[in-house]
């Protein structure tokens, strides 16, 4: 498996996010202006893109943000998400970042806790889905 970094939203990342967030989970506002300022990561198994996420620096929150982490259904449970987070954190460190903040769906917050993320604040709704902020110091 190989992870590639892009300064634009690649077609494969768009397709993975449409599959996971729009078709599987029912989100409607999946793509936004943040995609234009983000670094996008794609994990490939051979020529097949199987996972994606994005990272960007938030001026408002004065920290790096990780988001839109998605793994195709047939690849879940194989450590792919963990590898994507590790790669994103490595890039953030390389770029001088000292912390990472992300908005986690409540149903997967335990996954992020296992990666060293700590809950911050209260649960909130994002398109009808419960989310909570989680943060990690690098």
């Amino acid at each position: 498996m190989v992870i590639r970094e892009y300064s634009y939203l690649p077609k494969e990342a768009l397709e993975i996010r449409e599959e996971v967030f729009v078709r599987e989970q029912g989100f409607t506002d999946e793509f936004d202006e943040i995609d234009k300022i983000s670094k996008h990561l794609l994990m490939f198994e051979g020529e097949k893109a199987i996972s994606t996420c994005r990272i960007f620096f938030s001026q408002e929150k004065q920290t790096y943000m990780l988001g839109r982490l998605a793994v195709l259904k047939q690849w879940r449970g194989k450590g792919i998400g963990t590898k994507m987070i590790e790669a994103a954190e490595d890039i953030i460190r390389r770029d001088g970042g000292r912390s990472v903040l992300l908005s986690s769906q409540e149903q997967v917050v335990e996954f992020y806790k296992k990666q060293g993320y700590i809950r911050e604040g209260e649960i909130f709704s994002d398109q009808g889905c419960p989310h909570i902020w989680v943060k990690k110091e690098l």
Side-chain angles (χ1 to χ4, degrees):
M1 287 182 220
V2 64
I3 297 174
R4 296 188 183 121
E5 177 183 347
Y6 299 83
S7 60
Y8 61 91
L9 178 61
K11 176 177 78 74
E12 297 94 337
L14 185 142
E15 291 168 351
I16 291 170
R17 287 170 50 185
E18 281 183 341
E19 175 66 27
V20 173
F21 296 122
V22 178
R23 286 194 280 284
E24 280 183 36
Q25 298 180 4
F27 288 96
T28 55
D29 296 328
E30 174 52 26
F31 303 97
D32 57 26
E33 292 298 309
I34 294 170
D35 283 324
K36 294 177 183 172
I37 63 165
S38 296
K39 291 181 181 179
H40 299 270
L41 304 183
L42 267 174
M43 180 182 285
F44 291 87
E45 174 61 40
E47 296 298 312
K48 172 78 173 155
I50 61 172
S51 180
T52 188
C53 73
R54 71 181 186 187
I55 52 177
F56 66 97
F57 185 78
S58 168
Q59 293 293 338
E60 176 190 348
K61 299 190 184 301
Q62 286 298 297
T63 190
Y64 279 85
M65 308 282 292
L66 188 153
R68 302 306 205 264
L69 174 61
V71 178
L72 291 176
K73 188 178 254 182
Q74 61 269 36
W75 291 93
R76 293 180 197 151
K78 301 176 192 277
I80 303 297
T82 298
K83 289 177 183 161
M84 289 297 286
I85 288 172
E86 289 169 352
E89 290 172 354
D90 287 346
I91 290 168
I92 291 167
R93 279 188 203 92
R94 178 197 74 197
D95 291 349
R98 296 187 184 147
S99 64
V100 184
L101 184 67
L102 66 92
S103 171
S104 169
Q105 292 181 17
E106 188 182 28
Q107 67 184 3
V108 294
V109 76
E110 290 302 314
F111 165 75
Y112 290 108
K113 286 171 107 175
K114 289 178 185 172
Q115 314 308 317
Y117 287 77
I118 298 168
R119 295 169 67 118
E120 284 197 346
E122 301 297 319
I123 294 171
F124 62 94
S125 178
D126 182 351
Q127 295 189 57
C129 178
H131 281 67
I132 188 157
W133 290 104
V134 294
K135 186 173 186 175
K136 181 177 181 179
E137 299 297 327
L138 299 178

